[in-house]
Amino acid sequence: MGKMAAAVGSVATLLFRFYRQSRPGTADLGGVIDFSVSHAARGTGPGAAKVVKSQLNLSSVSDHDALRAGLQPVSKWQAYGLQGYPGFIFISNPFLPGYQWHWVKQCLKLYSRKPNVCNLDKHMTKEETQDLWEQSKEFLRCKEVNKRRPRSLLEKLRWVTLGYHYNWDSKRYSADHYTPFPSDLAFLSEQVAAACGFQGFRAEAGILNYYRLDSTLGIHVDRSELDHSRPLLSFSFGQSAIFLLGGLKRDEAPTPMFMHSGDIMVMSGFSRLLNHAVPRVLPSAEGDSLPGCLGTPLPADLPRDSVVEPCSLEEWQVCASYLKTARVNMTVRQVLAVGQDFPLDPTEENKRDITAEGSCHLDDDNSQVKRARLSPDC
């Protein structure tokens, strides 16, 4: 009986496979929650009844500080939760028109630079990966002209780590593997965390995932941070994706939902250590095109103290070419509690269970390890 159950796989694994093979525009996606539509229109899927409004801390972030980060006033944010998932908050694209341009550009142009760490470092020298943007921008500008050209380095990028750099082998952070966390992303994260009731949040580590249309992110839990009382923040840009939010146990049936460009998710409290995954990035229904919210340019007249920087049309041309077949996700974490230090000598109780540990690598359909990533040992 045990062998038969193992062969069939858990409900979570089966749903992961189902949505990985799903076809946009069909009944396959009928049960996926879409927070971007009206509450009435959200009632077609089995998970729709779980949606509830989330109350935000309106006084914790001034309208001016929200503007500095490119966000609408908190009073205008559309925030939701799910019954049975306390601590989970979904904020439907709170960015001001045009301001996503900055964050997309930062992910592709600035955050991918050295001294930050990326997946290409294992195969290339530091000099070769010093500035992926400069080496890729002409390739991406010519993407429409020559679709058979070799992929640029940016298109081969799968992940970048910021601040305390996550060690994918040991599943840990350490004090001696650190570079300064980007100040603009820290400010954005602090405003979102404060609006969700987490004043004093410190952005200390970031993992950026760069998805192609055939990329997936396996079922996992993010537990490597030493302070689980602080939230995990997730920012999505580019093409839409399906996100599966599961339970404390890997085999619990997950709730599927869409993540669209500009959406923010906050996992805190009970939901901080839940299993989750991304089985599918959805191609645009119109072919190679961008989500409508990315069609508005970043305003030229920015507030004097804004953390957002100008984005030229030439720079956006490169970003847009990339995002037509891609999605970028930024996750930001506080690693240490106030006054806490990393342990000098890891003990047995501090060692992480790698078979249940967080932040699995991205997989592509042409990856040799794809099948293993879908196994219970992901």
Side-chain angles (χ1 to χ4, degrees):
M1 190 69 167
K3 291 183 179 180
M4 182 180 297
V8 173
S10 69
V11 174
T13 301
L14 292 174
L15 282 173
F16 184 100
R17 291 172 177 166
F18 172 80
Y19 284 114
R20 180 170 58 85
Q21 299 167 355
S22 61
R23 296 165 297 169
T26 68
D28 289 353
L29 305 184
V32 183
I33 297 173
D34 192 343
F35 292 99
S36 68
V37 300
S38 67
H39 189 75
R42 212 180 290 131
T44 56
K50 299 179 180 179
V51 177
V52 295
K53 290 285 288 186
S54 282
Q55 298 300 315
L56 300 175
N57 190 337
L58 303 183
S59 63
S60 63
V61 179
S62 69
D63 290 355
H64 181 70
D65 280 343
L67 175 60
R68 290 180 60 199
L71 298 166
Q72 301 177 51
V74 177
S75 59
K76 295 185 177 180
W77 294 9
Q78 298 297 314
Y80 304 96
L82 293 172
Q83 293 176 2
Y85 295 95
F88 176 77
I89 303 173
F90 191 105
I91 305 170
S92 183
N93 185 13
F95 289 93
L96 289 163
Y99 279 81
Q100 288 188 55
W101 281 28
H102 167 81
W103 300 108
V104 172
K105 185 191 73 171
Q106 295 296 83
C107 289
L108 297 179
K109 184 176 182 179
L110 183 65
Y111 301 157
S112 62
R113 287 180 184 168
K114 292 289 164 280
N116 297 328
V117 181
C118 73
N119 63 291
L120 300 178
D121 295 337
K122 288 188 175 182
H123 313 289
M124 305 176 69
T125 67
K126 185 176 293 186
E127 290 72 24
E128 290 175 314
T129 59
Q130 179 66 36
D131 194 335
L132 303 181
W133 173 273
E134 284 299 319
Q135 297 183 62
S136 303
K137 61 183 183 181
E138 294 306 322
F139 283 91
L140 288 167
R141 284 199 184 107
C142 300
K143 185 176 179 180
E144 301 303 320
V145 178
N146 182 9
K147 294 188 177 182
R148 293 188 177 183
R149 58 164 178 75
R151 286 189 301 167
S152 64
L153 289 182
L154 274 179
E155 292 170 298
K156 296 178 181 179
L157 190 63
R158 291 297 172 265
W159 55 261
V160 166
T161 55
L162 311 171
Y164 288 116
H165 295 284
Y166 184 73
N167 186 312
W168 300 95
D169 297 321
S170 68
K171 310 295 182 184
R172 294 179 186 157
Y173 301 95
S174 62
D176 59 356
H177 198 194
Y178 175 84
T179 55
F181 194 92
S183 59
D184 58 345
L185 182 54
F187 184 80
L188 171 69
S189 302
E190 290 161 5
Q191 309 317 304
V192 172
C196 294
F198 294 95
Q199 287 86 352
F201 175 84
R202 298 183 302 174
E204 295 178 325
I207 298 179
L208 313 185
N209 283 323
Y210 299 78
Y211 294 77
R212 309 305 299 172
L213 292 180
D214 57 358
S215 299
T216 64
L217 185 64
I219 304 169
H220 68 281
V221 176
D222 292 282
R223 69 170 85 249
S224 294
E225 296 73 32
L226 301 184
D227 181 12
H228 295 153
S229 69
R230 310 306 278 174
L232 173 72
L233 311 180
S234 172
F235 303 85
S236 295
F237 303 105
Q239 300 300 325
S240 299
I242 297 173
F243 179 80
L244 299 181
L245 181 62
L248 293 172
K249 296 180 180 180
R250 183 186 173 88
D251 58 357
E252 293 182 49
T255 296
M257 63 198 76
F258 290 111
M259 290 187 295
H260 301 303
S261 191
D263 289 345
I264 300 173
M265 290 193 305
V266 179
M267 297 176 69
S268 67
F270 170 82
S271 295
R272 176 63 178 80
L273 296 176
L274 295 183
N275 282 275
H276 53 279
V278 179
R280 186 83 157 92
V281 178
L282 300 166
S284 169
E286 292 78 30
D288 289 353
S289 64
L290 294 177
C293 62
L294 294 175
T296 303
L298 178 66
D301 186 18
L302 299 171
R304 186 179 61 179
D305 57 351
S306 175
V307 302
V308 174
E309 300 175 352
C311 178
S312 70
L313 291 178
E314 290 75 17
E315 289 173 321
W316 183 248
Q317 182 184 12
V318 176
C319 296
S321 176
Y322 176 89
L323 283 185
K324 285 180 179 178
T325 54
R327 169 181 178 262
V328 179
N329 178 253
M330 309 187 299
T331 57
V332 179
R333 309 110 188 281
Q334 179 171 328
V335 177
L336 301 168
V338 176
Q340 185 179 22
D341 293 318
F342 288 100
L344 295 177
D345 297 306
T347 62
E348 284 300 316
E349 65 180 13
N350 284 333
K351 289 183 179 179
R352 305 299 178 186
D353 179 5
I354 292 179
T355 64
E357 187 49 45
S359 297
C360 293
H361 293 283
L362 283 178
D363 284 334
D364 298 329
D365 274 350
N366 58 3
S367 169
Q368 295 180 349
V369 299
K370 181 193 65 169
R371 296 302 177 189
R373 286 289 308 283
L374 297 179
S375 73
D377 292 328
C378 175

